């Protein structure tokens, strides 16, 4: 799961959304330095990642890429593919339109900017200016994001070539996402109820 899915799976809890969003920039026990709601979001993010990485449907998706040149980036690519399908099919999962949902989240980040780790504060302006979360919704947008990710890895990830794989196996990846997303929604609802 990438940014959009992590935010969505946090429910309507602003601090949990922030924690879930920043979690990759918070290592080990450093999460204890944050407010309790943000801590819960960080821990939820970690639980989502563990659930995802070991799930057979997610592994089926990454297996389609393993004979390619992506190496250990296969999981990151599938995370982005899944965010594409969530954004593309957003109306099936949320009553609020995606544009408003995304803008509300950007506003939340701006309002809470001082609570964000430095790495996220540096990333935030680019994310908002280029509207990453909304770009996930169409094929051209997700292709642009993958190309940007490839540049960030100095070409080592070859993610700029991943749109061809998405296009070739689009129905298969989408079916994987639909099946997997129902399971992870059930999982995260249980996690949120336990908080």
């Amino acid at each position: 799961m990438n940014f959009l899915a992590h935010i969505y799976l946090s429910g309507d809890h602003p601090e949990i959304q922030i924690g879930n969003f920043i979690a990759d920039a918070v290592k080990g026990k450093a999460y204890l330095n944050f407010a309790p709601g943000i801590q819960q979001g960080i821990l939820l993010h970690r639980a989502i990642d563990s659930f995802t990485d070991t799930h057979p449907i997610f592994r089926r998706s990454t297996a389609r890429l393993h004979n390619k040149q992506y190496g250990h980036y296969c999981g990151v690519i599938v995370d982005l593919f899944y965010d594409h399908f969530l954004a593309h099919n957003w109306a099936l999962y949320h009553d609020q339109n995606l544009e408003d949902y995304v803008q509300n989240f950007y506003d939340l980040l701006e309002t809470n900017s001082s609570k964000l780790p430095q790495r996220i504060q540096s990333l935030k302006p680019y994310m908002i200016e280029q509207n990453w979360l909304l770009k996930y919704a169409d094929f051209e947008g997700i292709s642009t994001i993958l190309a940007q990710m490839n540049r960030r890895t100095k070409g080592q990830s070859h993610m700029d070539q991943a749109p061809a794989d998405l296009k070739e196996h689009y129905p298969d990846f989408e079916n994987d996402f639909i099946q997997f997303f129902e399971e992870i929604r059930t999982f995260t609802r249980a996690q949120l109820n336990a908080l």
Side-chain angles (χ1 to χ4, degrees), residues 43-113:
L43 294 176
L44 178 63
H45 181 107
R46 293 175 181 178
I48 289 168
D49 281 357
S50 293
F51 181 89
T52 301
D53 291 344
T54 59
H55 199 284
I57 296 174
F58 186 81
R59 288 178 175 237
R60 183 171 68 206
S61 288
T62 59
R64 288 190 195 97
L65 303 175
H66 280 309
N67 62 345
K68 306 290 178 137
Q69 67 278 23
Y70 306 121
H72 68 276
Y73 292 102
C74 289
V76 178
I77 292 168
V78 172
D79 283 342
L80 286 161
F81 287 179
Y82 281 14
D83 259 22
H84 163 69
F85 291 117
L86 174 58
H88 187 71
N89 298 296
W90 183 258
L92 299 175
Y93 299 105
H94 206 285
D95 293 335
Q96 187 179 31
N97 71 57
L98 182 60
E99 293 84 356
D100 291 343
Y101 182 89
V102 164
Q103 187 57 55
N104 288 345
F105 181 71
Y106 292 155
D107 292 344
L108 178 68
L109 290 183
E110 293 286 19
T111 303
N112 293 276
S113 189

Side-chain angles (χ1 to χ4, degrees), residues 145-171:
I145 297 290
L146 286 159
Q148 289 170 344
M149 294 287 286
N150 184 58
R151 284 194 294 277
R152 285 175 62 194
T153 65
K154 297 182 171 50
Q156 293 178 4
S157 67
H158 304 284
M159 287 191 199
D160 59 323
Q161 297 174 41
D165 293 293
L166 177 59
K167 191 171 189 178
E168 181 181 354
H169 301 287
Y170 198 91

